Every structure is written in C-alpha cells, then in structure tokens.
Amino acid sequence: MVKLTFDPLMIPIDAVAGESALAPDRMNADWLRQRFAQPPIWRPEHMDRQVGSKPKNDNPVAAAVLIPFIMHATGPTLLFTQRTAHLTDHAGQVSFPGGRTELTDASPIETALREAEEEIGLPRSEVEVIGTLPEYFTGTGYRVTPVAGLIRPPATLRADPNEVAEIFEVPLIFLMNGLNHQLRTFDLPDGYRRTFYAMPYERFFIWGATAAMLRNLFHLLRA
C-alpha cells in the first residue's frame, strides 16, 4: 500500500514556473482537435526529478486516464475527481478518471473510457476522443497513458462512492497558465529528494502525477 508520509500542502513553494498563459483563441474544440491530430515538435517534461533518484520500476503496471475537456459556452474546463480516502494508491488525491488496464481492454483509450464510465458514470458515447499524451511513469509503479476527450455539457455523471469522493471542474484558462504552476521539493526518509508541481485551485490541491500530466498538456498546447 502506498501511503504519504508528509502533507504536500505543507511543503513550501520553491518557485513558480511562470510561463505565459495559453492564448484564449486556442481554447476551442476545433483548435484542440487539430493540435492533437497534427502536433508540432515539442518536448515532454519529466517531473519525477530526484537527487540520487531510485531506479525505475522494471515492470510498471499499464494504466490510462481520461483528460476530459468540458466544452462550456463560457470556456472549457477540465474535469477531475477527488479520490476516496480508503483506496490503496493515491488515496484522497485529485486525479483524472482512470485506472489500470484490464486484459479485456483493447487499447489505452478503451481503458480510459471504461474507467471513466465506472468511476464517474460518463458514457463513452459522450466522449469524443481527440488523442493521447506521452506515457507518464509514476513513482508508485504505473505507466499511464493520458487520453484527451471532448465532452459537450451537460455531461451525464454519477460518482462511484467506493472510488470517488467528489467530481469537480477547473477552468482550462487557469490550468494553462504557468503563473499557477508551483514547484515544491521535499526530502524522503531514505535520503532522496523529489520535486513536484502543484496547482492549487480553490479548496482543491492538484499535485504529483496529475499536475505533471497537466504540464505536458500545457507544453503541447503552447508549442
């Protein structure tokens, strides 16, 4: 079982990434479809930066998450879940809907759509998949494929109380602004040091793997 031995909210802010915000004219369905269909050359950011870092897990567990763009008339948001406190991995944390790949899943896209349907009741028929981001390797031993999908509101949602404590949305204009991307560093008990991103929004604390995947989305959309 993976348990935190620290409170990430209490880790001081080292720096703010500070890049300029994504242009508002890029925050529409047509532009997002085109960007994922024909991405420019860009470089993913690998955020599991550790001093004297441990070897990577040789057999990471395949998983996928759905990055759900809710296309409101007033501007898109991204949908997140707050995980329940009793889960084995990442308990209580903010995440995208998703989970580990099952043998019956034909692809990471299938995993992401199935998990979103199970966790938040989102029918796959309401998701327009527009592409994927590079795989992200978590410190807890997962190889995660982020799958981007457009959703027209009102979305049909129903949280599974065993996995999801809350469903919420954050404006894309907030998340795609480097001034809202904090860098924080902590020392692990065994002497390793880890730096992670955090993107606090109202009463929600987005950090770790979810924030790292958001950074890669940010780089792709700004490229």
Side-chain angles (χ1 to χ4, degrees):
M1 181 178 292
V2 178
K3 286 186 178 293
L4 293 180
T5 57
F6 65 96
D7 183 351
L9 281 78
M10 301 304 294
I11 304 297
I13 300 169
D14 292 337
V16 172
E19 300 98 338
S20 59
L22 181 69
D25 62 3
R26 296 187 174 195
M27 298 187 197
N28 63 78
D30 288 341
W31 193 92
L32 291 169
R33 289 189 191 99
Q34 182 67 21
R35 174 49 53 106
F36 275 92
Q38 297 179 314
I41 296 173
W42 68 287
R43 179 174 296 179
E45 184 173 5
H46 300 287
M47 240 348 270
D48 227 359
R49 293 185 296 171
Q50 298 181 6
V51 176
S53 57
K54 299 177 182 179
K56 292 282 187 186
N57 187 328
D58 290 333
N59 296 292
V61 177
V65 297
L66 181 66
I67 301 181
F69 291 83
I70 312 298
M71 305 307 295
H72 296 285
T74 55
T77 63
L78 289 183
L79 182 147
F80 298 88
T81 67
Q82 182 97 44
R83 294 167 64 83
T84 54
H86 66 268
L87 292 174
T88 301
D89 292 334
H90 308 285
Q93 294 184 25
V94 169
S95 67
F96 292 115
R100 67 178 63 202
T101 298
E102 302 291 346
L103 292 176
T104 53
D105 294 337
S107 67
I109 291 174
E110 177 70 18
T111 299
L113 294 176
R114 176 184 55 75
E115 285 284 343
E117 196 160 19
E118 292 174 0
E119 289 185 3
I120 62 172
L122 177 64
R124 60 191 67 198
S125 61
E126 295 187 16
V127 183
E128 177 192 346
V129 174
I130 59 173
T132 62
L133 289 172
E135 292 177 333
Y136 182 80
F137 292 81
T138 73
T140 50
Y142 289 91
R143 173 171 53 86
V144 183
T145 300
V147 176
L150 305 183
I151 300 163
R152 295 288 178 185
T156 304
L157 303 177
R158 184 192 67 260
D160 176 356
N162 292 319
E163 296 191 55
V164 176
E166 190 167 354
I167 302 170
F168 67 97
E169 299 176 33
V170 179
L172 187 64
I173 196 170
F174 175 88
L175 294 167
M176 296 295 102
N177 185 340
L179 292 175
N180 297 323
H181 301 174
Q182 303 171 356
L183 282 161
R184 305 187 185 207
T185 300
F186 66 94
D187 294 313
L188 295 167
D190 52 9
Y192 294 97
R193 173 170 292 183
R194 182 184 174 194
T195 298
F196 63 92
Y197 277 107
M199 303 171 189
Y201 178 75
E202 296 182 349
R203 60 187 176 84
F204 298 103
F205 192 74
I206 304 167
W207 74 289
T210 301
M213 286 183 268
L214 284 169
R215 281 289 293 180
N216 279 341
L217 176 64
F218 179 59
H219 292 312
L220 169 62
L221 299 187
R222 287 183 77 250

